[in-house]
Amino acid sequence: MFKIVKVLTAALAASAGLALAGIQPVQAAPAAQITLSPATGSAGSAVTVNGTGFKASASGTVVAGSASFAFRTATTGAFSTAITIPAAATGKLTVTAKTSSVQASSVFTVTPPAPALPPVSTARLRFGVATANGPMAGAELDEVALLAGESPSSVLFYKDFLQAPPISEMNAVRARGAVPLVTWEPWAWGGGVDQPAYALDRIAAGDFDTRIIEWGQSLAAWGYPVQLRFAHEMNGNWYPWAEGVNGNMAGDYVRAWRHVHDVVTATGASNVSWVWSPNVPYWGSTDLAGLFPGAGYVDIVGLDGYNWGTSASWSSWVSPQDLFAPGIAEFRAIAPGLPILIAETASSESGGSKAAWNTDLVSYLAAQPDVMGFVWFHLQKEADWRINSSDTSAAAFKSALTARRAS
């Protein structure tokens, strides 16, 4: 009897197991959800709302702040519809999609509108800038415009002889209402001063004519005004195109400059203004008169000079007038009548008042009738040259530019 009971119990259990095995658990419907594309942007942005998990073939509404937008789901319970973020929306905006029995939400982050940039000034003394990442870094140039209270009229950037013509960068500068100031350096970046392949006599002999012609043709085809600052600071000894280094002899610089100028000009690049730009003269620098290619080869004479203050062991605080007046005087002697551009300048904070220096710089240059403008080196490099290295520096810079616009 006991054995029969065991057999019956086992049979019943097996039968129940088979029956249970045939029963599948009910799958819960997927929860409704929506996604926003994009999920961040300014008020007034167009946004696509994608939803899943809603009732099939149902009508619904997307609510975004005070605005609502109708939609209808597919047989799968999904939908996609376009909405517009209300113009008055700020901060985190909840966007909700709902049908009669189902709803889901997501958050759109409203970003504040970018501040309107001030225009380029029409003042006689023009303001230009160089920034760390060049013309394609729009945010850096926007920052400069807001700091200065005006957008720069020129943007300085650098290319070496290995690089193709910078058409994209020049387009970016022109789109901002500015003129590109391209420093074209006849060497390979990172190779140091001793680069015999780039000696001045090699340039004059035509070793790089293929690249020079390419640049000339591209600049000519581009067609808009561009300032070309070739082989700058040639009166120093830190670049391989200086005389007295890299095997260069006296007279080689002028011959190389004239050759490059003639090759580019022969391509029809009449939109190019040639900027001859030495460093401010210093004890031991090469005499400028022997480096000047002649008025027929130069459109603008430029001058580079920085107030290092006490940021270096060899340097001391120098006023804008003491820094630039000797070079400007030489320019007036060797290149009378040519416009003068301070092609690179900035001040350190160390050793004096940078705010006062900024004010004095603009005041001094604005008083020189042949100085057309200056380009501020807005970088943190050997020193903190930036306009906003301090609040007082930034405020003084902006005030000085405002005063010169009013004069």
Side-chain angles (χ1 to χ4, degrees), residues 176 183 301 354:
R176 305 183 72 91
T183 299
V301 287
K354 182 172 179 175

Side-chain angles (χ1 to χ4, degrees), residues 191-254:
V193 173
D194 187 18
Q195 296 191 43
Y198 295 93
L200 291 170
D201 60 355
R202 296 294 86 217
I203 297 171
D207 287 10
F208 299 94
D209 280 5
T210 299
R211 175 48 53 90
I212 296 168
I213 291 170
E214 178 193 7
W215 270 62
Q217 291 174 337
S218 294
L219 295 178
W222 190 65
Y224 302 106
V226 54
Q227 296 171 344
L228 191 60
R229 190 172 73 133
F230 175 69
H232 68 305
E233 298 179 4
M234 75 300 293
N235 58 326
N237 59 4
W238 45 88
Y239 288 127
W241 53 83
E243 293 182 353
V245 303
N246 200 32
N248 300 323
M249 308 296 290
D252 282 348
Y253 181 85
V254 168

Side-chain angles (χ1 to χ4, degrees), residues 94-145:
T94 299
V95 177
T96 301
K98 55 186 178 181
T99 60
S100 59
S101 58
V102 180
Q103 74 174 38
S105 298
S106 188
V107 173
F108 182 87
T109 302
V110 181
T111 56
L117 296 178
V120 173
S121 170
T122 58
R124 184 189 60 79
L125 181 71
R126 309 307 293 266
F127 159 62
V129 75
T131 60
N133 293 296
M136 306 301 284
E140 293 179 353
L141 294 171
D142 290 351
E143 177 195 44
V144 167

Side-chain angles (χ1 to χ4, degrees), residues 321-381:
Q321 181 168 352
D322 288 344
L323 180 63
F324 291 115
I328 290 174
E330 287 198 47
F331 281 177
R332 290 168 178 163
I334 64 176
L338 286 182
I340 298 170
L341 174 69
I342 303 305
E344 289 184 29
T345 192
S347 177
S348 165
E349 292 274 2
S350 302
S353 169
K354 182 172 179 175
W357 197 92
N358 296 346
T359 302
D360 292 344
L361 172 75
V362 177
S363 176
Y364 168 70
L365 296 179
Q368 311 306 309
D370 48 358
V371 174
M372 62 182 288
F374 71 98
V375 179
W376 190 273
F377 195 73
H378 182 68
L379 280 78
Q380 189 168 8
K381 199 178 174 187

